[in-house]
Short mmCIF file of all heavy atoms in Angstrom, two decimals:
data_model
loop_
_atom_site.label_atom_id
_atom_site.label_comp_id
_atom_site.label_asym_id
_atom_site.label_seq_id
_atom_site.Cartn_x
_atom_site.Cartn_y
_atom_site.Cartn_z
N ILE A 454 -14.89 10.17 22.66
CA ILE A 454 -15.02 11.54 22.17
C ILE A 454 -16.50 11.80 21.91
O ILE A 454 -17.06 11.35 20.91
CB ILE A 454 -14.20 11.77 20.88
CG1 ILE A 454 -12.74 11.37 21.10
CG2 ILE A 454 -14.30 13.22 20.43
CD1 ILE A 454 -12.01 12.21 22.10
N ASN A 455 -17.17 12.50 22.85
CA ASN A 455 -18.57 12.86 22.65
C ASN A 455 -18.67 14.28 22.10
O ASN A 455 -17.66 14.93 21.80
CB ASN A 455 -19.35 12.71 23.96
CG ASN A 455 -18.72 13.48 25.10
OD1 ASN A 455 -18.00 14.46 24.88
ND2 ASN A 455 -18.97 13.04 26.33
N LYS A 456 -19.88 14.77 21.98
CA LYS A 456 -20.08 16.08 21.36
C LYS A 456 -19.42 17.22 22.13
O LYS A 456 -18.71 18.04 21.52
CB LYS A 456 -21.58 16.35 21.20
CG LYS A 456 -21.90 17.66 20.49
CD LYS A 456 -23.39 17.83 20.28
CE LYS A 456 -23.69 19.16 19.58
NZ LYS A 456 -25.15 19.33 19.35
N ALA A 459 -15.64 16.90 21.67
CA ALA A 459 -15.24 17.16 20.28
C ALA A 459 -15.26 18.66 19.97
O ALA A 459 -14.30 19.19 19.38
CB ALA A 459 -16.16 16.40 19.32
N HIS A 460 -16.31 19.34 20.37
CA HIS A 460 -16.40 20.77 20.09
C HIS A 460 -15.33 21.55 20.87
O HIS A 460 -14.78 22.54 20.35
CB HIS A 460 -17.79 21.28 20.44
CG HIS A 460 -18.83 20.85 19.45
ND1 HIS A 460 -19.99 21.56 19.21
CD2 HIS A 460 -18.89 19.79 18.62
CE1 HIS A 460 -20.73 20.96 18.29
NE2 HIS A 460 -20.06 19.87 17.92
N LEU A 463 -12.05 21.04 19.06
CA LEU A 463 -12.02 21.81 17.81
C LEU A 463 -11.73 23.28 18.07
O LEU A 463 -10.99 23.92 17.31
CB LEU A 463 -13.36 21.65 17.08
CG LEU A 463 -13.61 20.31 16.39
CD1 LEU A 463 -15.06 20.18 15.97
CD2 LEU A 463 -12.70 20.15 15.18
N LEU A 481 -10.26 12.92 16.80
CA LEU A 481 -11.58 13.38 16.36
C LEU A 481 -12.21 12.47 15.31
O LEU A 481 -13.40 12.61 15.00
CB LEU A 481 -11.48 14.80 15.80
CG LEU A 481 -11.25 15.91 16.84
CD1 LEU A 481 -10.98 17.24 16.15
CD2 LEU A 481 -12.46 16.03 17.76
N LEU A 482 -11.44 11.52 14.76
CA LEU A 482 -12.02 10.55 13.82
C LEU A 482 -13.09 9.69 14.50
O LEU A 482 -13.93 9.10 13.82
CB LEU A 482 -10.92 9.65 13.26
CG LEU A 482 -9.93 10.28 12.28
CD1 LEU A 482 -8.76 9.36 12.04
CD2 LEU A 482 -10.62 10.62 10.96
N ARG A 483 -13.07 9.64 15.83
CA ARG A 483 -14.03 8.80 16.55
C ARG A 483 -15.39 9.48 16.73
O ARG A 483 -16.32 8.85 17.23
CB ARG A 483 -13.47 8.43 17.92
CG ARG A 483 -12.12 7.74 17.84
CD ARG A 483 -11.58 7.41 19.21
NE ARG A 483 -10.25 6.82 19.09
CZ ARG A 483 -9.53 6.40 20.11
NH1 ARG A 483 -10.00 6.52 21.35
NH2 ARG A 483 -8.33 5.89 19.92
N TYR A 484 -15.47 10.74 16.38
CA TYR A 484 -16.73 11.46 16.59
C TYR A 484 -17.49 11.56 15.27
O TYR A 484 -16.91 11.86 14.23
CB TYR A 484 -16.46 12.86 17.13
CG TYR A 484 -17.71 13.69 17.32
CD1 TYR A 484 -18.66 13.32 18.26
CD2 TYR A 484 -17.95 14.81 16.53
CE1 TYR A 484 -19.82 14.07 18.42
CE2 TYR A 484 -19.10 15.55 16.70
CZ TYR A 484 -20.04 15.18 17.64
OH TYR A 484 -21.18 15.90 17.79
N ARG A 485 -18.77 11.30 15.34
CA ARG A 485 -19.64 11.40 14.18
C ARG A 485 -20.71 12.45 14.44
O ARG A 485 -21.53 12.30 15.34
CB ARG A 485 -20.29 10.05 13.90
CG ARG A 485 -21.33 10.07 12.80
CD ARG A 485 -20.72 10.37 11.44
NE ARG A 485 -19.85 9.30 11.00
CZ ARG A 485 -19.23 9.31 9.83
NH1 ARG A 485 -19.37 10.35 9.01
NH2 ARG A 485 -18.44 8.32 9.48
N PRO A 486 -20.73 13.58 13.70
CA PRO A 486 -21.77 14.60 13.89
C PRO A 486 -23.17 14.02 13.70
O PRO A 486 -23.37 13.10 12.91
CB PRO A 486 -21.43 15.64 12.81
CG PRO A 486 -19.98 15.44 12.53
CD PRO A 486 -19.73 13.98 12.69
N ARG A 487 -24.12 14.60 14.42
CA ARG A 487 -25.48 14.05 14.43
C ARG A 487 -26.33 14.52 13.26
O ARG A 487 -27.39 13.96 13.00
CB ARG A 487 -26.16 14.40 15.74
CG ARG A 487 -25.44 13.84 16.96
CD ARG A 487 -26.12 14.24 18.26
NE ARG A 487 -25.40 13.72 19.42
CZ ARG A 487 -25.74 13.97 20.68
NH1 ARG A 487 -26.80 14.75 20.94
NH2 ARG A 487 -25.03 13.47 21.67
N GLY A 488 -25.93 15.54 12.58
CA GLY A 488 -26.70 16.05 11.45
C GLY A 488 -25.81 16.82 10.50
O GLY A 488 -24.65 17.13 10.79
N ASP A 489 -26.39 17.17 9.35
CA ASP A 489 -25.61 17.90 8.35
C ASP A 489 -25.23 19.29 8.83
O ASP A 489 -24.14 19.80 8.49
CB ASP A 489 -26.41 18.00 7.04
CG ASP A 489 -26.45 16.67 6.30
OD1 ASP A 489 -25.67 15.76 6.68
OD2 ASP A 489 -27.24 16.54 5.36
N ASP A 490 -26.10 19.93 9.62
CA ASP A 490 -25.76 21.26 10.12
C ASP A 490 -24.52 21.22 11.00
O ASP A 490 -23.59 22.04 10.84
CB ASP A 490 -26.94 21.84 10.90
CG ASP A 490 -28.15 22.12 10.01
OD1 ASP A 490 -27.94 22.24 8.78
OD2 ASP A 490 -29.27 22.18 10.52
N GLU A 491 -24.50 20.27 11.92
CA GLU A 491 -23.33 20.14 12.78
C GLU A 491 -22.11 19.72 11.97
O GLU A 491 -20.99 20.18 12.22
CB GLU A 491 -23.60 19.11 13.89
CG GLU A 491 -22.44 18.98 14.86
CD GLU A 491 -22.67 17.87 15.87
OE1 GLU A 491 -23.74 17.23 15.82
OE2 GLU A 491 -21.75 17.63 16.69
N LEU A 492 -22.33 18.84 10.98
CA LEU A 492 -21.22 18.38 10.15
C LEU A 492 -20.54 19.55 9.45
O LEU A 492 -19.30 19.69 9.49
CB LEU A 492 -21.72 17.36 9.13
CG LEU A 492 -20.75 16.97 8.02
CD1 LEU A 492 -19.54 16.25 8.59
CD2 LEU A 492 -21.44 16.11 6.97
N PHE A 493 -21.32 20.41 8.84
CA PHE A 493 -20.72 21.52 8.09
C PHE A 493 -20.14 22.58 9.02
O PHE A 493 -19.19 23.28 8.64
CB PHE A 493 -21.75 22.13 7.14
CG PHE A 493 -22.06 21.24 5.97
CD1 PHE A 493 -23.27 20.57 5.88
CD2 PHE A 493 -21.14 21.04 4.96
CE1 PHE A 493 -23.55 19.75 4.81
CE2 PHE A 493 -21.40 20.22 3.88
CZ PHE A 493 -22.61 19.56 3.81
N ASP A 494 -20.66 22.68 10.24
CA ASP A 494 -20.02 23.57 11.21
C ASP A 494 -18.63 23.05 11.59
O ASP A 494 -17.67 23.83 11.70
CB ASP A 494 -20.89 23.68 12.47
CG ASP A 494 -22.16 24.48 12.22
OD1 ASP A 494 -22.19 25.23 11.22
OD2 ASP A 494 -23.12 24.34 13.00
N VAL A 495 -18.54 21.74 11.77
CA VAL A 495 -17.24 21.14 12.08
C VAL A 495 -16.26 21.31 10.92
O VAL A 495 -15.09 21.67 11.11
CB VAL A 495 -17.42 19.65 12.44
CG1 VAL A 495 -16.06 18.95 12.56
CG2 VAL A 495 -18.20 19.50 13.74
N LEU A 496 -16.75 21.07 9.70
CA LEU A 496 -15.88 21.21 8.54
C LEU A 496 -15.42 22.65 8.35
O LEU A 496 -14.30 22.90 7.88
CB LEU A 496 -16.60 20.71 7.29
CG LEU A 496 -16.95 19.21 7.26
CD1 LEU A 496 -17.64 18.85 5.95
CD2 LEU A 496 -15.71 18.36 7.45
N SER A 497 -16.28 23.59 8.72
CA SER A 497 -15.88 25.00 8.61
C SER A 497 -14.74 25.32 9.57
O SER A 497 -13.82 26.09 9.23
CB SER A 497 -17.08 25.91 8.90
OG SER A 497 -18.11 25.68 7.95
N LEU A 499 -12.52 23.20 10.50
CA LEU A 499 -11.32 22.48 10.04
C LEU A 499 -10.76 23.05 8.75
O LEU A 499 -9.63 22.69 8.37
CB LEU A 499 -11.67 21.00 9.82
CG LEU A 499 -12.05 20.18 11.05
CD1 LEU A 499 -12.52 18.79 10.63
CD2 LEU A 499 -10.86 20.06 12.00
N LEU A 517 -9.55 13.54 8.23
CA LEU A 517 -10.77 13.79 8.99
C LEU A 517 -11.87 14.32 8.08
O LEU A 517 -13.05 13.95 8.22
CB LEU A 517 -10.47 14.78 10.11
CG LEU A 517 -11.63 15.12 11.06
CD1 LEU A 517 -12.18 13.86 11.70
CD2 LEU A 517 -11.18 16.11 12.13
N PHE A 518 -11.52 15.18 7.12
CA PHE A 518 -12.50 15.69 6.14
C PHE A 518 -13.13 14.53 5.39
O PHE A 518 -14.36 14.44 5.23
CB PHE A 518 -11.80 16.63 5.17
CG PHE A 518 -12.24 18.06 5.28
CD1 PHE A 518 -11.57 18.95 6.10
CD2 PHE A 518 -13.34 18.52 4.57
CE1 PHE A 518 -11.96 20.27 6.21
CE2 PHE A 518 -13.75 19.83 4.67
CZ PHE A 518 -13.06 20.72 5.49
N HIS A 520 -13.28 11.43 6.17
CA HIS A 520 -14.05 10.55 7.06
C HIS A 520 -15.42 11.14 7.37
O HIS A 520 -16.44 10.44 7.31
CB HIS A 520 -13.26 10.32 8.35
CG HIS A 520 -14.02 9.60 9.41
ND1 HIS A 520 -14.30 8.25 9.35
CD2 HIS A 520 -14.58 10.04 10.57
CE1 HIS A 520 -14.98 7.89 10.41
NE2 HIS A 520 -15.17 8.96 11.17
N LEU A 521 -15.45 12.43 7.73
CA LEU A 521 -16.73 13.04 8.11
C LEU A 521 -17.66 13.21 6.91
O LEU A 521 -18.88 13.10 7.04
CB LEU A 521 -16.47 14.40 8.76
CG LEU A 521 -15.72 14.38 10.10
CD1 LEU A 521 -15.46 15.80 10.58
CD2 LEU A 521 -16.50 13.61 11.15
N ALA A 522 -17.10 13.48 5.74
CA ALA A 522 -17.91 13.74 4.55
C ALA A 522 -18.08 12.50 3.70
O ALA A 522 -18.19 12.58 2.47
CB ALA A 522 -17.27 14.86 3.72
N ALA A 523 -18.11 11.32 4.34
CA ALA A 523 -18.23 10.07 3.57
C ALA A 523 -19.53 10.02 2.78
O ALA A 523 -19.58 9.41 1.70
CB ALA A 523 -18.14 8.88 4.52
N ALA A 524 -20.58 10.66 3.27
CA ALA A 524 -21.87 10.67 2.56
C ALA A 524 -22.01 11.84 1.61
O ALA A 524 -23.07 12.02 1.01
CB ALA A 524 -23.01 10.68 3.58
N HIS A 525 -20.97 12.64 1.45
CA HIS A 525 -21.02 13.82 0.58
C HIS A 525 -19.81 13.80 -0.37
O HIS A 525 -18.77 14.41 -0.08
CB HIS A 525 -21.02 15.11 1.40
CG HIS A 525 -22.14 15.19 2.39
ND1 HIS A 525 -23.39 15.66 2.07
CD2 HIS A 525 -22.20 14.83 3.71
CE1 HIS A 525 -24.18 15.61 3.13
NE2 HIS A 525 -23.47 15.11 4.14
#
Side-chain angles (χ1 to χ4, degrees):
I454 305 296
N455 54 24
K456 183 176 180 179
H460 286 207
L463 286 168
L481 287 173
L482 289 168
R483 303 179 184 182
Y484 178 66
R485 174 67 67 179
R487 299 178 181 177
D489 286 348
D490 293 339
E491 183 185 359
L492 169 65
F493 288 107
D494 289 341
V495 171
L496 295 181
S497 299
L499 295 173
L517 182 57
F518 247 93
H520 172 74
L521 294 177
H525 303 274

